[in-house]
């Protein structure tokens, strides 16, 4: 199913990037552009990401702080998510 019709991004692509470590719609956007044009797909992407295991989220929930959370981000994933903005 297409999640982002502006850039032709499918739910399978979002799930693949999530499995590779993307935790936020912003991180999905950095690799697929989904959500960067009209923005109508952002909520769908959030739903697909759900509460998956996320290294940054797990570190922040344990009180590791923003620096530790950044260190937990897998290589190749860019763009701070709202979790870091709240922790800073």
């Amino acid at each position: 199913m297409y999640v982002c019709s502006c850039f032709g991004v499918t739910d399978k692509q979002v799930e693949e990037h999530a499995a590779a470590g993307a935790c936020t719609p912003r991180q999905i956007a950095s690799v697929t552009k989904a959500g960067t044009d009209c923005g109508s797909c952002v909520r769908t992407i959030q739903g697909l990401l759900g509460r998956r295991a996320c290294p940054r989220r797990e570190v922040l929930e344990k009180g590791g702080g923003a620096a530790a959370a950044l260190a937990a981000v897998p290589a190749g994933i860019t763009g701070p998510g709202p979790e870091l903005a709240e922790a800073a």
Side-chain angles (χ1 to χ4, degrees), residues 1 10 14 16-17 21-22 26 38-40 42 45-46 49-50 55 60-61 63 67 69 73 76 79 84-85 88:
M1 156 182 92
T10 66
V14 171
E16 288 171 6
H17 290 297
R26 182 175 288 169
C38 77
S40 66
V42 173
I45 293 169
Q46 287 172 328
L49 294 174
L60 289 171
E61 287 174 353
V73 177
L84 287 181

Side-chain angles (χ1 to χ4, degrees), residues 5-73:
S5 56
C6 296
F7 294 103
V9 179
T10 66
D11 58 335
K12 298 291 184 202
Q13 289 172 296
V14 171
E15 290 171 5
E16 288 171 6
H17 290 297
C23 300
T24 66
R26 182 175 288 169
Q27 290 173 334
I28 297 294
S30 73
V31 291
T32 65
K33 294 187 180 179
T36 62
D37 193 27
C38 77
S40 66
C41 60
V42 173
R43 289 201 187 268
T44 303
I45 293 169
Q46 287 172 328
L48 288 170
L49 294 174
R51 292 289 293 181
R52 292 178 173 262
C54 177
R56 287 191 316 195
R57 184 178 298 125
E58 291 168 4
V59 170
L60 289 171
E61 287 174 353
K62 291 179 183 176
L70 278 174
V73 177

